[in-house]
Amino acid sequence: LANPAFPNLGIGLSVGGAIGLLLFAGTVGKSAQFPLHTWLPDAMEGPTPVSAMIHAATMVSAGVYMIIRMFPLLTVGFDGHTFTPTMIVIATIGAFTALFAATIALAQRDIKKVLAYSTISQLGFMIAAVGLGGYIAGIFHLATHAFFKALLFLGSGSVIHGMEHGHHAVAHGAEHGEHDHDEHSHPFDPQDMRQMGGLKDKIPVTTWVYIIGALALAGIPPLAGFWSKDEILADASGTNNLVYILLTVAAFFTAFYMAR
């Protein structure tokens, strides 16, 4: 890195930029970016507290942290105005993943898978920020996302726990003739959002902490998610219009699926 004139590979890409792209390929797998995003929702089969740790503090965050630490390699040849091919690839994949995962979250019925695709989308925000040179905004969003996403996963665990206990009570009552039992009803799934409703009075504490987490994820001020996500959008607005549009639409989708 002492020599700014890294050998060029003949395709507009320096050796330093190529090394950065190879490191980013590891991030694509580790942080579940397109097209290697499919494993993360499948990892939701484990206990919910483990899901909270995976999505908030340890596993998927490592890829984003790595490219932020390797940021000088990604920007070899960057003059402050013209982005390097490496930066363009990173910003484009991050922005596309943010929007793509948000659209998938809109159609999910499993409460934990909605949050899983949400994590993929938010990681896309962070990676897009790094690709645009805004690594400070990326690490800021990494930190704020860890707190409210852990809160949301633990809240979803409380909801699932309450659903299972409620179903057990209803089934036990049906066995004793206290309730009608429909043999043709859909099989019970405690994580299916279509079978949820009327939980506010049963689990009020979970309701309120979940609302706080959802508002933070949606980027509503003055909660943490607003400050970090707004910083990323501010970086994108003055540098790359395509990335800015993709991230803005993804932000609106985030608010929609969390309200859902």
Side-chain angles (χ1 to χ4, degrees), residues 75-98:
T75 57
V76 171
F78 179 51
D79 59 4
H81 301 285
T82 304
F83 292 109
T84 66
T86 302
M87 296 175 72
I88 292 173
V89 169
I90 293 173
T92 303
I93 290 180
F96 177 77
T97 302

Side-chain angles (χ1 to χ4, degrees), residues 133-205:
Y135 64 93
I136 294 175
I139 199 71
F140 185 24
H141 196 51
L142 181 68
T144 59
H145 173 263
F147 286 94
F148 55 72
K149 185 53 64 69
L151 174 65
L152 287 167
F153 265 107
L154 293 174
S156 71
S158 176
V159 170
I160 294 167
H161 183 73
M163 289 286 290
E164 290 174 337
H165 276 262
H167 177 71
H168 177 74
V170 170
H172 184 72
E175 290 177 0
H176 293 80
E178 297 176 8
H179 300 281
D180 294 330
H181 182 64
D182 184 4
E183 295 180 355
H184 302 288
S185 61
H186 295 290
F188 174 73
D189 181 0
Q191 297 180 203
D192 191 337
M193 295 193 301
R194 296 173 299 173
Q195 299 186 18
M196 299 175 186
L199 298 175
K200 178 172 67 68
D201 297 331
K202 302 294 183 182
I203 45 176
V205 174

Side-chain angles (χ1 to χ4, degrees), residues 27-242:
T27 295
V28 169
K30 185 67 172 175
S31 293
Q33 297 298 285
F34 180 85
L36 304 180
H37 62 282
T38 54
W39 66 268
L40 189 56
D42 295 336
M44 296 300 94
E45 301 301 326
T48 305
V50 175
S51 301
M53 284 297 295
I54 288 174
H55 286 254
T58 53
M59 193 169 173
V60 295
S61 303
V64 177
Y65 181 73
M66 179 191 69
I67 62 168
I68 290 173
R69 289 303 301 267
M70 297 295 175
F71 185 73
L73 267 180
L74 310 179
T75 57
V76 171
F78 179 51
D79 59 4
H81 301 285
T82 304
F83 292 109
T84 66
T86 302
M87 296 175 72
I88 292 173
V89 169
I90 293 173
T92 303
I93 290 180
F96 177 77
T97 302
L99 179 58
F100 177 66
T103 60
I104 298 176
L106 293 174
Q108 292 300 307
R109 298 168 178 171
D110 186 314
I111 187 171
K112 286 180 68 177
K113 286 194 174 181
V114 172
L115 297 177
Y117 281 108
S118 169
T119 296
I120 297 173
S121 180
Q122 299 309 304
L123 290 168
F125 271 86
M126 303 169 203
I127 287 172
V130 176
L132 296 176
Y135 64 93
I136 294 175
I139 199 71
F140 185 24
H141 196 51
L142 181 68
T144 59
H145 173 263
F147 286 94
F148 55 72
K149 185 53 64 69
L151 174 65
L152 287 167
F153 265 107
L154 293 174
S156 71
S158 176
V159 170
I160 294 167
H161 183 73
M163 289 286 290
E164 290 174 337
H165 276 262
H167 177 71
H168 177 74
V170 170
H172 184 72
E175 290 177 0
H176 293 80
E178 297 176 8
H179 300 281
D180 294 330
H181 182 64
D182 184 4
E183 295 180 355
H184 302 288
S185 61
H186 295 290
F188 174 73
D189 181 0
Q191 297 180 203
D192 191 337
M193 295 193 301
R194 296 173 299 173
Q195 299 186 18
M196 299 175 186
L199 298 175
K200 178 172 67 68
D201 297 331
K202 302 294 183 182
I203 45 176
V205 174
T206 299
T207 300
W208 286 110
V209 296
Y210 203 93
I211 288 173
I212 292 170
L215 292 176
L217 175 56
I220 304 300
L223 300 174
F226 165 76
W227 304 102
S228 56
K229 191 177 291 186
D230 191 62
E231 187 72 21
I232 293 174
L233 292 173
D235 285 342
S237 66
T239 53
N240 189 307
N241 289 332
L242 175 60

